[in-house]
RNA sequence: GCGGAUGUGGCGGAAUUGGCAGACGCGCCGGAUUUAGGUUCCGGUGGGAACACCGUGCAGGUUCAACUCCUGUCAUCCGCACCA
């Protein structure tokens, strides 16, 4: 058969669409399979080969599950709010709505050309008011359940994007969007209380099937630590300084305290502090440092002693000095620490520099050289003396602290509450009204969606205010509570909002009365398998798990974990082995590949190029290799004749069906394809094949190369869709060969093979091995001291 | 610094439980077809003159047998990073 891929591909894409064969049915009697891929951000650059790889994995799994009789939901949508679109709008003067629609149309066209079996009836767009109505609805639910609060805080601010960023969006002190250095700025911020769900987010990980490194990254991100809060009295004023420590066992070794430069106690007691101007100039210096400088570059400890405030160790009433230093952060714990230089390296460095006492309380190290952080016998520690187990001493100390009322057990998380507002246009408006009398008033649900107003200028204001603030007709409104004059919130939600619950909307995308029908949620949830990039494992996934757990707690969804299983694909690198980027000119456009080699080749190559979870460089010649494979498959139509099975190929077929079936489930697509190539080679070596066998072969290949295989299926005379055919089954007993090659070793060295019947006994195998011509020279005249036999695998004769 | 992962031909990568290292593909070499190139087909392809021998980052160890297990070490990549 001539392999005219472009006409074959457009033909079958049309037929699938006309017959609507990939839409999920709300038929609750069938077993369901919900496969989810991370929906794309429709950027102007169009689809990237990385998108194809990200979707191809579950595309193949979904196609296989469909053929196995599952009711499959494999949806697609667009995460379309966000800065790049808004920036295009500003640059070109085009409405972001128009930019978004054009980009979505472009993405849709490209995705369809690859032949993905998405359910195109359920497409969602986060910027559609019918969608974001429910994003706002969930926000209001959170507000009404006390999970939203507003605070003035030092926030991560990107001076270039003029926008407040969450911690997650400013990793490494760089803006996630434009990579400029972020600065700390005091602003009014809307927060979502994600920390209230920290424990649930952590504990839920025990009940889901995520790749181990994904779980680990999430745990790391949440960053739970257990320890104690301890209150230190201050001698000169009626005040206690509260600290957090994970090492309460070392409390007798405290020789000084350190507070963050921003700690409020300094301003509160500035008239008691003799060296306030010195402190202020140090604080000034610190505030100028970027996060990057403060955390990455400064290894040398700096700080200033507070002259006029002295702390008292609550255990032994010893007076200890207080310092300010930027190695203590206001954002973690209480912004103040007790310093134990003998057993904490940072405190040690600080003490050495400032000439502070170092008291050993755990034996085992040499504190004249460095801090000792391991276990050992407690000394200089009153009631803890003699304890050797860290855990036991911590417990004893906690008991003591609680008993005396000077402290208590405490838990801290690295994760912070989620800064939720952005000073931008292209996002969901926050449905809150500021009333001079009533304060912050949530919009009634009946007023949703709160639509984005039309504006002429999308530029954010100079003071970092949203473009919406300039629209008086939007801003001025009546208070829903007292009906008096009020003003709307003008900030919008971050891009992560819409993507935090999109998988729920796919279940019932057109519902106007609820975000989804409870019966449908009950059937489809949880998502059975979610695949995406490693870069979304900490942010998007933590946010969406948080939203979902909240919805579960208010009874809006039936399961507490949204994703039963999560995997991640590896990147596609440029041909030169480095990340694809425009500036390096090594970007591959999937459109070009489809045009030149066809979608089936593109799909097959992307899954064949290497381990699905690892990064692999693009190779044009390997693309050609996959095209050759498909051409050779197309040519099978010339040799396929008759019905039934070809005896010489029977076990090869059963083996291949088994291998492909298992490998797809394990995301080992490369070896699945390799095994089909091996079978194809065997078919050509054998020079004969029945029509039934060809049909089995193309059925196995269908998830990978659906267009070509549909075409062959039709040529074989079938009228139905191969995409809906039954997945082949194998007979385990027929996967084994009757004659097997067994390796023979002498003293562990491979010397030859023997062909024997698969059910030969150990004795028969050893006897046959000794008769092998290649083996004889190595054993004749030697004493056999051991004979090892692994049936079906190998014989090892040990001689002396 | 901490945590995780990876290291196999010229290249991408295969190798259930320790059991013939290099499946499959690319590339390369030779041959056939072709005016030629391309395509296609056939044969070969870890190193090595070798049926010896050597080969899975490096050095040891356990074992009849190690890519696989153990100890140490180096390199690369990723994540977190003064988290008290």
């Amino acid at each position: 058969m001539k392999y005219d891929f472009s006409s074959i591909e457009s033909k079958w894409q049309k037929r699938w669409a006309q017959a609507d064969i990939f839409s999920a049915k709300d038929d609750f009697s069938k077993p369901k399979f919900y496969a989810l891929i991370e929906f794309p951000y429709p950027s102007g650059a169009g689809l990237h080969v990385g998108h194809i790889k990200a979707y191809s994995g579950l595309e193949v799994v979904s196609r296989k599950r469909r053929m196995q009789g599952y009711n499959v939901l494999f949806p697609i949508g667009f995460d379309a709010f966000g800065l790049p679109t808004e920036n295009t709008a500003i640059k070109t003067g085009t409405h972001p709505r128009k930019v978004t629609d054009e980009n979505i149309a472009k993405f849709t066209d490209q995705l369809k050309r690859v032949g993905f079996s998405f359910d195109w009836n359920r497409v969602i767009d986060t910027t559609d008011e019918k969608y974001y109505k429910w994003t706002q609805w969930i926000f209001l639910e959170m507000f009404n359940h006390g999970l939203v609060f507003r605070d003035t805080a030092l926030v991560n601010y990107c001076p270039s994007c003029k926008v407040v960023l969450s911690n997650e969006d400013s990793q490494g002190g760089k803006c996630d969007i434009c990579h400029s250095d972020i600065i700390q700025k005091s602003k009014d911020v809307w927060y979502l209380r994600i920390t209230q769900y920290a424990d649930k987010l952590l504990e839920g990980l025990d009940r889901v099937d995520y790749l181990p490194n994904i779980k680990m990254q999430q745990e790391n991100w949440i960053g739970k630590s257990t320890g104690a809060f301890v209150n230190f009295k201050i001698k000169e004023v009626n005040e206690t300084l509260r600290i957090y420590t994970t090492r309460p066992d070392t409390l007798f070794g405290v020789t000084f305290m350190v507070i963050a430069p921003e700690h409020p106690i300094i301003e509160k007691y500035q008239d008691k502090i003799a060296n306030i101007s010195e402190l202020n100039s140090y604080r000034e210096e610190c505030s100028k440092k970027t996060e990057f400088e403060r955390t990455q570059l400064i290894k040398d400890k700096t700080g200033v002693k507070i002259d006029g405030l002295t702390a008292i160790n609550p255990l032994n009433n010893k007076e200890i000095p207080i310092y300010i230093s930027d190695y203590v952060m206001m954002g973690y714990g209480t912004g103040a620490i007790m310093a134990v230089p003998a057993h904490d390296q940072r405190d040690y460095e600080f003490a050495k520099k400032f000439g502070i006492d170092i008291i050993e309380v755990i034996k085992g190290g040499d504190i004249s050289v460095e801090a000792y952080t391991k276990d050992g016998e407690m000394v200089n520690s009153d009631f803890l003396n003699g304890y050797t187990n860290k855990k036991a001493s911590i417990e004893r100390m906690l008991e003591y602290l609680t008993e005396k009322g000077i402290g208590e057990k405490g838990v801290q998380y690295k994760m912070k509450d989620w800064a939720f507002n952005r000073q931008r246009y292209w996002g969901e408006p926050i449905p809150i009204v500021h009333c001079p009398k009533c304060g912050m008033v949530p919009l009634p649900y009946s007023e949703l969606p709160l639509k984005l107003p039309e504006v002429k200028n999308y530029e954010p204001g100079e003071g970092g205010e949203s473009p919406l603030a300039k629209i008086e007709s939007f801003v001025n409104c009546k208070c829903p509570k007292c009906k008096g004059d009020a003003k709307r919130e003008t900030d919008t939600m971050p891009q992560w909002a819409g993507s935090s619950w999109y998988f729920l909307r796919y279940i019932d995308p057109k519902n106007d009365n609820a975000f989804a029908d409870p019966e449908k949620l009950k059937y489809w949830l949880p998502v059975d398998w979610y695949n995406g990039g490693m870069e979304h494992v900490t942010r998007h996934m933590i946010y969406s798990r948080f939203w979902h757990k909240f919805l579960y707690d208010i009874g809006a969804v039936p399961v507490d974990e949204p994703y039963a299983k999560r995997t991640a694909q590896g990147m596609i690198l440029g041909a030169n082995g480095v990340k694809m980027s425009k500036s390096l000119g090594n970007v591959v456009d999937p459109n070009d590949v489809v045009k030149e080699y066809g979608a089936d080749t593109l799909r097959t190559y992307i899954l064949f190029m290497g381990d699905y979870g690892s990064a692999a460089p693009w190779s044009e010649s390997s693309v050609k290799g996959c095209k050759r494979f498909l051409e050779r498959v197309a040519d099978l139509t010339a040799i396929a004749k008759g019905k039934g099975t070809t005896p010489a190929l029977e076990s090869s077929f059963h083996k291949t069906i088994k291998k492909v079936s298992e490998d797809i489930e394990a995301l080992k697509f490369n070896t699945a394809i390799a095994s089909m190539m091996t079978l194809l080679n065997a078919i050509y070596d054998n020079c004969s094949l029945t029509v039934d066998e060809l049909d089995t072969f193309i059925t196995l290949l269908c998830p990978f190369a659906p267009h070509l295989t549909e075409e062959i299926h039709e040529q074989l005379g079938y009228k139905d869709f191969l995409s809906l055919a039954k997945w082949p089954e194998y007979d385990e007993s027929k996967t084994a060969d009757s004659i097997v090659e067994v390796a023979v070793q002498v003293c562990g060295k491979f010397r030859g093979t023997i062909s024997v019947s698969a059910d030969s006994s150990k004795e028969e195998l050893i006897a046959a091995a000794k008769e092998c011509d290649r083996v004889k020279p190595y054993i004749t005249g030697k004493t056999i001291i051991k004979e090892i036999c692994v049936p079906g695998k190998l014989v090892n004769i040990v001689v002396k």
Side-chain angles (χ1 to χ4, degrees), chain A residues 757-780:
Chain A
S757 130
D759 50 11
S760 307
S761 68
K762 284 194 179 191
E763 291 71 27
E764 285 168 332
L765 279 173
I766 291 168
K770 286 177 184 165
E771 288 307 308
C772 176
D773 289 342
R774 296 264 289 102
V775 172
K776 269 184 183 168
Y778 295 96
I779 56 170
T780 42

Short mmCIF file of all heavy atoms in Angstrom, two decimals, chain A residues 757-780:
data_model
loop_
_atom_site.label_atom_id
_atom_site.label_comp_id
_atom_site.label_asym_id
_atom_site.label_seq_id
_atom_site.Cartn_x
_atom_site.Cartn_y
_atom_site.Cartn_z
N SER A 757 14.65 -28.32 24.54
CA SER A 757 13.22 -28.16 24.73
C SER A 757 12.99 -27.45 26.07
O SER A 757 13.72 -27.64 27.03
CB SER A 757 12.56 -29.56 24.70
OG SER A 757 11.74 -29.73 25.80
N ALA A 758 11.98 -26.58 26.07
CA ALA A 758 11.78 -25.69 27.22
C ALA A 758 11.53 -26.42 28.51
O ALA A 758 11.81 -25.92 29.59
CB ALA A 758 10.62 -24.73 26.93
N ASP A 759 10.99 -27.66 28.41
CA ASP A 759 10.67 -28.36 29.66
C ASP A 759 11.76 -29.35 30.08
O ASP A 759 11.51 -30.24 30.88
CB ASP A 759 9.30 -29.06 29.53
CG ASP A 759 9.21 -29.89 28.27
OD1 ASP A 759 10.27 -30.09 27.62
OD2 ASP A 759 8.10 -30.32 27.93
N SER A 760 12.98 -29.19 29.56
CA SER A 760 14.08 -30.07 29.95
C SER A 760 14.34 -29.95 31.45
O SER A 760 14.25 -28.88 32.02
CB SER A 760 15.37 -29.69 29.22
OG SER A 760 15.16 -29.65 27.84
N SER A 761 14.73 -31.11 32.03
CA SER A 761 15.06 -31.10 33.46
C SER A 761 16.47 -30.56 33.65
O SER A 761 17.23 -30.44 32.69
CB SER A 761 14.98 -32.52 34.01
OG SER A 761 16.03 -33.27 33.43
N LYS A 762 16.81 -30.27 34.88
CA LYS A 762 18.15 -29.77 35.19
C LYS A 762 19.22 -30.76 34.73
O LYS A 762 20.24 -30.37 34.16
CB LYS A 762 18.29 -29.55 36.70
CG LYS A 762 17.58 -28.31 37.19
CD LYS A 762 18.03 -27.95 38.60
CE LYS A 762 17.31 -26.66 39.05
NZ LYS A 762 17.88 -26.11 40.28
N GLU A 763 18.95 -32.03 35.00
CA GLU A 763 19.93 -33.07 34.65
C GLU A 763 20.16 -33.10 33.14
O GLU A 763 21.29 -33.18 32.67
CB GLU A 763 19.45 -34.45 35.12
CG GLU A 763 19.45 -34.63 36.63
CD GLU A 763 18.37 -33.82 37.34
OE1 GLU A 763 17.30 -33.53 36.72
OE2 GLU A 763 18.60 -33.44 38.51
N GLU A 764 19.05 -33.02 32.40
CA GLU A 764 19.15 -33.03 30.93
C GLU A 764 19.94 -31.83 30.43
O GLU A 764 20.77 -31.93 29.54
CB GLU A 764 17.75 -33.02 30.31
CG GLU A 764 17.03 -34.34 30.41
CD GLU A 764 15.55 -34.26 30.06
OE1 GLU A 764 14.96 -33.17 30.25
OE2 GLU A 764 15.00 -35.25 29.60
N LEU A 765 19.68 -30.68 31.04
CA LEU A 765 20.37 -29.45 30.64
C LEU A 765 21.86 -29.56 30.89
O LEU A 765 22.68 -29.22 30.02
CB LEU A 765 19.81 -28.25 31.43
CG LEU A 765 18.52 -27.66 30.91
CD1 LEU A 765 18.00 -26.61 31.88
CD2 LEU A 765 18.75 -27.02 29.55
N ILE A 766 22.23 -30.04 32.05
CA ILE A 766 23.64 -30.14 32.40
C ILE A 766 24.34 -31.14 31.48
O ILE A 766 25.44 -30.87 30.98
CB ILE A 766 23.81 -30.52 33.89
CG1 ILE A 766 23.36 -29.33 34.76
CG2 ILE A 766 25.26 -30.88 34.21
CD1 ILE A 766 23.18 -29.64 36.22
N ALA A 767 23.65 -32.22 31.22
CA ALA A 767 24.22 -33.23 30.33
C ALA A 767 24.44 -32.65 28.94
O ALA A 767 25.51 -32.82 28.33
CB ALA A 767 23.31 -34.45 30.27
N ALA A 768 23.42 -31.94 28.45
CA ALA A 768 23.52 -31.34 27.12
C ALA A 768 24.63 -30.29 27.08
O ALA A 768 25.36 -30.16 26.08
CB ALA A 768 22.19 -30.69 26.72
N ALA A 769 24.78 -29.57 28.16
CA ALA A 769 25.80 -28.52 28.23
C ALA A 769 27.19 -29.13 28.11
O ALA A 769 28.05 -28.61 27.40
CB ALA A 769 25.67 -27.75 29.55
N LYS A 770 27.39 -30.27 28.77
CA LYS A 770 28.71 -30.91 28.75
C LYS A 770 29.05 -31.44 27.36
O LYS A 770 30.22 -31.60 27.02
CB LYS A 770 28.74 -32.06 29.77
CG LYS A 770 28.82 -31.57 31.20
CD LYS A 770 28.77 -32.75 32.16
CE LYS A 770 28.74 -32.27 33.60
NZ LYS A 770 28.33 -33.37 34.50
N GLU A 771 28.01 -31.73 26.58
CA GLU A 771 28.22 -32.26 25.22
C GLU A 771 28.49 -31.16 24.21
O GLU A 771 28.88 -31.42 23.08
CB GLU A 771 26.99 -33.07 24.78
CG GLU A 771 26.84 -34.39 25.49
CD GLU A 771 28.11 -35.23 25.39
OE1 GLU A 771 28.61 -35.41 24.26
OE2 GLU A 771 28.65 -35.66 26.44
N CYS A 772 28.25 -29.91 24.61
CA CYS A 772 28.38 -28.80 23.69
C CYS A 772 29.84 -28.63 23.25
O CYS A 772 30.75 -28.60 24.08
CB CYS A 772 27.89 -27.52 24.38
SG CYS A 772 28.09 -26.05 23.40
N ASP A 773 30.05 -28.56 21.92
CA ASP A 773 31.41 -28.50 21.37
C ASP A 773 32.21 -27.31 21.90
O ASP A 773 33.41 -27.41 22.11
CB ASP A 773 31.36 -28.41 19.83
CG ASP A 773 30.90 -29.74 19.25
OD1 ASP A 773 30.98 -30.76 19.98
OD2 ASP A 773 30.46 -29.74 18.08
N ARG A 774 31.52 -26.23 22.07
CA ARG A 774 32.22 -25.00 22.50
C ARG A 774 32.61 -25.07 23.98
O ARG A 774 33.42 -24.31 24.45
CB ARG A 774 31.31 -23.79 22.26
CG ARG A 774 31.00 -23.53 20.80
CD ARG A 774 31.93 -22.49 20.18
NE ARG A 774 31.66 -21.15 20.68
CZ ARG A 774 32.39 -20.56 21.59
NH1 ARG A 774 33.41 -21.17 22.12
NH2 ARG A 774 32.09 -19.34 21.98
N VAL A 775 31.99 -26.01 24.69
CA VAL A 775 32.20 -26.10 26.12
C VAL A 775 33.25 -27.16 26.47
O VAL A 775 34.08 -26.96 27.34
CB VAL A 775 30.85 -26.41 26.83
CG1 VAL A 775 31.06 -26.70 28.30
CG2 VAL A 775 29.88 -25.26 26.62
N LYS A 776 33.19 -28.25 25.72
CA LYS A 776 34.06 -29.41 25.99
C LYS A 776 35.51 -29.05 26.30
O LYS A 776 36.06 -29.51 27.31
CB LYS A 776 34.01 -30.38 24.82
CG LYS A 776 32.94 -31.43 24.97
CD LYS A 776 33.01 -32.41 23.81
CE LYS A 776 31.89 -33.43 23.90
NZ LYS A 776 31.79 -34.18 22.63
N PRO A 777 36.17 -28.25 25.43
CA PRO A 777 37.60 -27.97 25.68
C PRO A 777 37.87 -27.38 27.07
O PRO A 777 38.96 -27.55 27.60
CB PRO A 777 37.95 -26.94 24.61
CG PRO A 777 36.89 -27.03 23.58
CD PRO A 777 35.68 -27.58 24.23
N TYR A 778 36.87 -26.69 27.62
CA TYR A 778 37.11 -26.02 28.90
C TYR A 778 36.87 -26.92 30.10
O TYR A 778 37.22 -26.58 31.21
CB TYR A 778 36.22 -24.77 29.02
CG TYR A 778 36.55 -23.70 28.01
CD1 TYR A 778 35.85 -23.60 26.82
CD2 TYR A 778 37.62 -22.83 28.25
CE1 TYR A 778 36.18 -22.64 25.89
CE2 TYR A 778 37.95 -21.86 27.31
CZ TYR A 778 37.22 -21.77 26.13
OH TYR A 778 37.55 -20.82 25.21
N ILE A 779 36.26 -28.09 29.85
CA ILE A 779 35.98 -28.95 31.01
C ILE A 779 36.74 -30.29 30.96
O ILE A 779 36.91 -30.92 31.99
CB ILE A 779 34.46 -29.21 31.19
CG1 ILE A 779 33.84 -29.82 29.93
CG2 ILE A 779 33.74 -27.95 31.62
CD1 ILE A 779 32.42 -30.31 30.14
N THR A 780 37.19 -30.66 29.77
CA THR A 780 37.87 -31.96 29.72
C THR A 780 39.18 -31.90 30.50
O THR A 780 39.93 -30.91 30.41
CB THR A 780 38.15 -32.39 28.26
OG1 THR A 780 38.59 -31.26 27.54
CG2 THR A 780 36.95 -33.00 27.61
#
